[in-house]
Amino acid sequence: MKKVKVMSVFGTRPEAIKMAPVVLELYKYPDAIEPLVAVTAQHREMLDQVLNLFNIRPNFDLNIMSEGQTLFDITSRALLGLDKVFSSATPDVVLVHGDTTTTFAGALAAYYHQIEVGHVEAGLRTQNKFSPYPEEMNRRLTGSLADLNFAPTSTAKENLLREGVDSEKIFVTGNTVIDALYQIVRADFEFTDALSRIDFSKRIVLVTTHRRENLGEPMRQVYKALKAIVEDFSDVEIIFPVHKNPKVREVVKEELGDLERVILIDPLDYEPFANLMNRATLILTDSGGVQEEAPALGKPVLVLRDTTERPEAVDAGTVKLIGTNQDKVYGAAKILLSDSAQYRKMAEARSPYGDGHAAERIVKALLWRHKFLSNRPDEFTN
Ligand code: UD1
Ligand code: UDP
């Protein structure tokens, strides 16, 4: 039988982390699959960190990133670049991930070329088109172009069914981020370089922020709350790997620069970051991926957003949505840092997002769809 050419397309750090297990799994079937990788490099340094860690060498690199890029820049550069890539590589299937602008442009470019689209991490919804912005529309638009939907959980599958997606085209797989996490986290991991100055006798509060809807005043409010937390809790150390976006970095520096027990560092490689999550007492974040990883490590997460497309951990009690208001952020963190019963209630390890085998299920579904396997693969149950 003719091999299927499967091209994985991604551009940012989280897509790379979550597609790496899929790319590596695709390489295990050389008789059935010809795996190809194209990166838009919507992120440059943060993408390269992940490519190096998983030893992935893209076949195509569009290198589109520019400082202060707009959604128009990313969409148009990715779309035009991928047109050329698809024309020359002629993939049979294009896999995109999640909800970034690369995701949407990748799915649209594949559709224009009439190539089958597989959407990894399909079906997440907040039902609010501006929160997160533009991710909620990126995933809905990608969903409407997809031929195969790899939903991480049954909740995501239900969202797709409600939108009229044929259940034959949906596979519940678990989230591939848990595959990546389980490969990377080890109890004896040693922290080096900038992280060797962390005082692990203190309670570590790990922070990340990057969402577009939080840029400016909402982030400033969060940082003021962080400042109050280190002032009030002398046994707390905040570790904050600051996103490369200059609009984030500027406000972080203004509010948190030169404070005792606030360690501001560049974005970390995934390996030290994941292991640092594992050593943290508490995590404050507006990230999507961190909301999925932390529950698997038994770490409470305060989510600096008003909505989430990941309700499973909120329902399980390990994640709380608190928004960005200074008093609310301070109040929620204070409770967890001073009330051990409340802390214990949130700190139970649960993994509603996956069991570490999502990439295997995705690749098996592709093999089944292209008739290399006779039985539809088993699904993940959370
Ligand atoms: C993007 C995604 C968001 C995802 C996030 C993960 C869109 C619209 N947004 O948001 O869904 O959650 O990535 O982090 O697709 N920069 C660098 N080096 C890097 C990465 C970023 O310098 O390695 C700077 C650049 O100045 C760039 C800016 O960060 O212009 C913003 O990057 P961009 O991809 O536009 O948006 P993010 O906020 O990172
Ligand atoms: N992450 C990382 N280094 C960091 C901060 C985060 O490797 O300094 C990882 C994190 O573990 C998660 C992913 O990056 O897997 C999340 O990326 P981000 O928060 O940028 O995007 P989102 O998940 O919100 O789309």
Side-chain angles (χ1 to χ4, degrees), residues 100-173:
T100 73
T101 295
T102 290
T103 315
F104 168 55
L108 185 60
Y111 167 72
Y112 284 166
H113 277 266
Q114 300 189 38
I115 300 167
E116 182 177 306
V117 176
H119 188 198
V120 179
E121 199 183 81
L124 277 63
R125 298 288 184 271
T126 60
Q127 306 303 351
N128 178 337
K129 78 191 236 192
F130 288 107
S131 180
Y133 166 80
E135 290 81 3
E136 175 72 2
M137 284 315 290
N138 282 342
R139 54 194 173 223
R140 284 199 226 168
L141 294 165
T142 303
S144 61
L145 295 166
D147 303 286
L148 289 170
N149 302 273
F150 303 108
T153 64
S154 52
T155 310
K157 177 178 178 174
E158 282 155 25
N159 289 337
L160 292 170
L161 291 174
R162 262 197 300 277
E163 290 172 14
V165 178
D166 179 354
S167 66
E168 268 289 294
K169 296 182 177 172
I170 309 172
F171 300 82
V172 181
T173 60

Side-chain angles (χ1 to χ4, degrees), residues 70-325:
T70 66
L71 298 175
F72 296 91
D73 296 328
I74 310 170
T75 310
S76 56
R77 287 183 201 145
L79 196 61
L80 293 175
L82 288 170
D83 174 20
K84 292 205 179 83
V85 170
F86 294 166
S87 292
S88 82
T90 63
D92 302 302
V93 181
V94 163
L95 294 181
V96 292
H97 180 279
D99 54 21
T100 73
T101 295
T102 290
T103 315
F104 168 55
L108 185 60
Y111 167 72
Y112 284 166
H113 277 266
Q114 300 189 38
I115 300 167
E116 182 177 306
V117 176
H119 188 198
V120 179
E121 199 183 81
L124 277 63
R125 298 288 184 271
T126 60
Q127 306 303 351
N128 178 337
K129 78 191 236 192
F130 288 107
S131 180
Y133 166 80
E135 290 81 3
E136 175 72 2
M137 284 315 290
N138 282 342
R139 54 194 173 223
R140 284 199 226 168
L141 294 165
T142 303
S144 61
L145 295 166
D147 303 286
L148 289 170
N149 302 273
F150 303 108
T153 64
S154 52
T155 310
K157 177 178 178 174
E158 282 155 25
N159 289 337
L160 292 170
L161 291 174
R162 262 197 300 277
E163 290 172 14
V165 178
D166 179 354
S167 66
E168 268 289 294
K169 296 182 177 172
I170 309 172
F171 300 82
V172 181
T173 60
N175 197 306
T176 55
V177 82
I178 305 297
D179 302 23
L181 186 76
Y182 285 171
Q183 282 175 40
I184 294 295
V185 171
R186 305 189 299 275
D188 61 351
F189 181 81
E190 286 200 17
F191 295 91
T192 54
D193 305 323
L195 299 181
S196 52
R197 61 192 170 106
I198 297 178
D199 179 357
F200 282 106
S201 70
K202 301 251 184 307
R203 291 190 288 174
I204 305 296
V205 174
L206 183 60
V207 181
T208 76
T209 59
H210 72 79
R211 295 244 84 83
R212 269 164 206 256
E213 65 274 17
N214 283 348
L215 292 173
E217 189 51 30
M219 280 189 195
R220 196 178 292 283
Q221 293 256 325
V222 170
Y223 305 153
K224 285 185 192 297
L226 295 178
K227 192 170 172 184
I229 291 163
V230 273
E231 278 167 9
D232 290 358
F233 293 88
S234 59
D235 66 336
V236 161
E237 187 165 75
I238 292 179
I239 320 283
F240 189 169
V242 186
H243 192 284
K244 283 277 183 193
N245 190 341
K247 290 185 188 150
V248 176
R249 294 174 92 85
E250 201 179 299
V251 185
V252 171
K253 202 165 156 224
E254 281 167 23
E255 296 296 334
L256 296 170
D258 301 323
L259 279 186
E260 211 187 315
R261 286 177 290 108
V262 178
I263 301 185
L264 303 178
I265 40 179
D266 274 334
L268 288 168
D269 285 355
Y270 185 52
E271 199 174 24
F273 184 81
N275 282 285
L276 195 53
M277 275 194 286
N278 197 35
R279 298 286 293 272
T281 296
L282 174 62
I283 300 173
L284 276 75
T285 190
D286 60 11
S287 161
V290 174
Q291 285 179 64
E292 294 154 345
E293 295 162 328
L297 301 172
K299 302 298 173 181
V301 181
L302 298 177
V303 177
L304 306 164
R305 293 174 48 186
D306 299 322
T307 58
T308 185
E309 57 294 282
R310 295 166 169 90
E312 297 87 349
V314 177
D315 295 343
T318 59
V319 164
K320 256 194 195 126
L321 265 187
I322 56 164
T324 51
N325 173 278

